[in-house]
Amino acid sequence: MSKRDTILEAALELFIKQGFEKTPTSAISKTAGVATGTLFHHFKTKEDLISALYLDIKLNLQDLLITSINQEALTSPDNMNGDFIKDTFHKVWFSMISWTLANPCKFKFLTQFSDSAHINTETRERVENAFSEWTTLFEKGQALGIFSHMPSDLLVSLATNHMFTSCEYLLNNPDLWKSESFQMALFHSCWVQLNQHTPSKLNSTIDKQQEAKQ
């Protein structure tokens, strides 16, 4: 492992345990086993360090998740059907949870610091661009009438929030992930909240609920 990566690993550990403000660079360099000058050689400020850590984790996720969303495939008419959208979404969903269970510290860092003001604008823009295919998947799904016609950024947030909530729960209950039936039920709960429901289907559901109460 390079000295840069060693510093990032140490920062990850300490930021999660102590928070950003309560973690001095001296503690990071000590945990990493490097001189403070070496830390500042790689990262001019602590803000640069946390931004680099956030970017590294996000790009690692991008390699795992977004590579399954081939941009050329999204623009191919032959792939534009419900099965393609659902299968691709499922790959991303499954990979996200599997990655979390394998990398709990990195996931905890994302939950704690994704909205941190200490992460610079340039880093956030790079991350947003790296995940553009994720938004495109929802836009294509809406065009096919698969996803609800809400703002696409809202759909992305709903899906992401569901996945993060599922990840947090499974970190505390990892044995549940071994059950295929649980995996299917959990995925279904995520998928249905994004689906397009026609008024007739919605009214039918309401009618059935009212009949059950009578």
Side-chain angles (χ1 to χ4, degrees):
M1 184 182 293
S2 68
K3 288 185 178 180
R4 179 185 183 277
D5 289 341
T6 301
I7 293 168
L8 289 175
E9 285 292 326
L12 173 65
E13 176 187 344
L14 294 175
F15 286 156
I16 291 173
K17 289 181 180 179
Q18 302 174 183
F20 179 82
E21 300 291 350
K22 294 182 179 181
T23 302
T25 53
S26 58
I28 297 172
S29 59
K30 182 178 180 180
T31 301
V34 301
T36 303
T38 302
L39 185 151
F40 286 116
H41 170 74
H42 291 282
F43 309 101
K44 293 181 180 179
T45 66
K46 195 165 65 167
E47 284 75 14
D48 286 345
L49 198 164
I50 195 174
S51 293
L53 179 58
Y54 177 75
L55 182 62
D56 275 19
I57 293 174
K58 279 291 193 176
L59 291 184
N60 175 259
L61 258 182
Q62 192 262 355
D63 286 341
L64 177 68
L65 304 182
I66 305 304
T67 49
S68 64
I69 307 178
N70 186 289
Q71 189 66 46
E72 292 183 5
L74 281 177
T75 59
S76 173
D78 294 337
N79 286 323
M80 287 299 98
N81 57 61
D83 288 340
F84 170 79
I85 297 295
K86 187 172 184 179
D87 288 347
T88 303
F89 182 84
H90 181 266
K91 288 179 182 177
V92 174
W93 176 87
F94 185 89
S95 296
M96 176 65 197
I97 295 178
S98 298
W99 176 87
T100 295
L101 294 176
N103 300 276
C105 289
K106 291 181 179 180
F107 175 78
K108 289 176 183 177
F109 173 84
L110 291 181
T111 61
Q112 289 179 234
F113 296 104
S114 286
D115 296 324
S116 173
H118 299 294
I119 296 173
N120 61 52
T121 301
E122 180 183 355
T123 296
R124 293 195 179 281
E125 290 176 351
R126 287 188 62 184
V127 168
E128 184 177 351
N129 291 334
F131 283 81
S132 61
E133 290 91 346
W134 182 230
T135 301
T136 302
L137 182 70
F138 284 90
E139 293 171 346
K140 294 295 183 180
Q142 285 182 312
L144 290 169
I146 297 167
F147 293 135
S148 299
H149 286 287
M150 293 185 285
S152 58
D153 58 340
L154 175 58
L155 284 177
V156 170
S157 294
L158 287 172
T160 302
N161 288 339
H162 188 288
M163 285 193 285
F164 267 63
T165 299
S166 299
C167 288
E168 288 178 331
Y169 185 83
L170 286 167
L171 281 176
N172 294 318
N173 303 275
D175 286 345
L176 286 174
W177 190 240
K178 299 175 184 178
S179 167
E180 186 175 342
S181 60
F182 178 82
Q183 289 183 18
M184 292 175 62
L186 187 61
F187 174 74
H188 180 71
S189 69
C190 182
W191 181 253
V192 295
Q193 73 170 342
L194 306 171
N195 277 186
Q196 171 77 297
H197 295 286
T198 62
S200 60
K201 288 182 180 179
L202 181 59
N203 290 334
S204 176
T205 301
I206 294 173
D207 290 341
K208 289 179 180 179
Q209 290 174 341
Q210 291 176 338
E211 288 174 4
K213 292 179 180 180
Q214 294 177 351

